[in-house]
Amino acid sequence: MKTIDRRLFLAATLACAAATQAQAQAPKDTPWDQLIPKGWDPMAGFKRPPTAGLLSDSDPRVLEMMRELREVWDRAPTRPELDGTPVQLSGYVVPLEQSRGELREFLLVPYFGACIHSPPPPANQIVHVLPAKAAKGLRSMDVVTVRGAIRTQRGDTAMGATGYRIDAANVEPYVAPEPAR
């Protein structure tokens, strides 16, 4: 009888240790601002003169300012120390590769309309996602939660430059947290 009790105790201890290790490695909710290096200001160097608001969108000065902004944002710095870190990131879907209702590749962005309207967010706010299995039923700007190991990897897509990538990601519809009581 004591041998069986010891075996049960050992099995329970091992199961508990495995659950604790899995929980320690589980992705944590990652706020988008954690992807931005401290002190980086996406608008540095673009403080508008008082007349900037009076210019038309087709004014050559505005077009030049937008080109400069795009260059800076496409080179937005990432946080290399996050490379390989398990994350849980919620955001909006911008489809890249889709076939027969299955999404095989997409960008994850922090706000509605990003990458659809110009300009796209800085590269450190766009994550290239390759799901572990094709995601079904997702459309542009659907809200999802992505879990996986984030990598600092630059990419260039028709919808915007990316600073991060998550391969073999687990993709699920977003579920809002319960309100605190």
Side-chain angles (χ1 to χ4, degrees), residues 21-30 85-89 145-150 166 170:
Q21 182 179 12
Q23 191 174 32
Q25 294 175 346
K28 298 175 184 154
D29 286 328
T30 307
T85 303
V87 296
Q88 176 175 299
L89 196 61
T145 298
V146 173
R147 291 177 188 82
I150 197 163
I166 301 176
N170 177 0

Side-chain angles (χ1 to χ4, degrees), residues 30-144:
T30 307
W32 281 92
D33 62 356
Q34 284 188 6
L35 302 181
I36 303 171
K38 289 194 186 322
W40 184 72
D41 178 3
M43 295 307 292
F46 295 101
K47 304 303 179 198
R48 291 189 275 166
T51 60
L54 303 174
L55 301 174
S56 75
D57 288 349
S58 61
D59 186 293
R61 294 171 287 181
V62 171
L63 296 174
E64 178 61 19
M65 197 168 28
M66 289 300 290
R67 186 192 62 72
E68 290 173 10
L69 178 75
R70 189 72 264 138
E71 285 179 12
V72 170
W73 284 15
D74 286 353
R75 292 188 320 266
T78 57
R79 294 191 47 210
E81 70 273 16
L82 294 178
D83 200 87
T85 303
V87 296
Q88 176 175 299
L89 196 61
S90 297
Y92 296 87
V93 170
V94 177
L96 290 178
E97 186 179 326
Q98 194 168 7
S99 172
R100 296 186 199 128
E102 294 184 335
L103 191 58
R104 291 182 170 76
E105 196 174 336
F106 64 92
L107 300 180
L108 190 68
V109 295
Y111 55 86
F112 186 85
C115 295
I116 303 298
H117 303 289
S118 185
N124 59 20
Q125 293 292 283
I126 303 177
V127 180
H128 188 177
V129 178
L130 285 89
K133 59 181 182 177
K136 295 180 181 180
L138 290 180
R139 299 177 314 223
S140 183
M141 291 295 124
D142 278 351
V143 185
V144 297

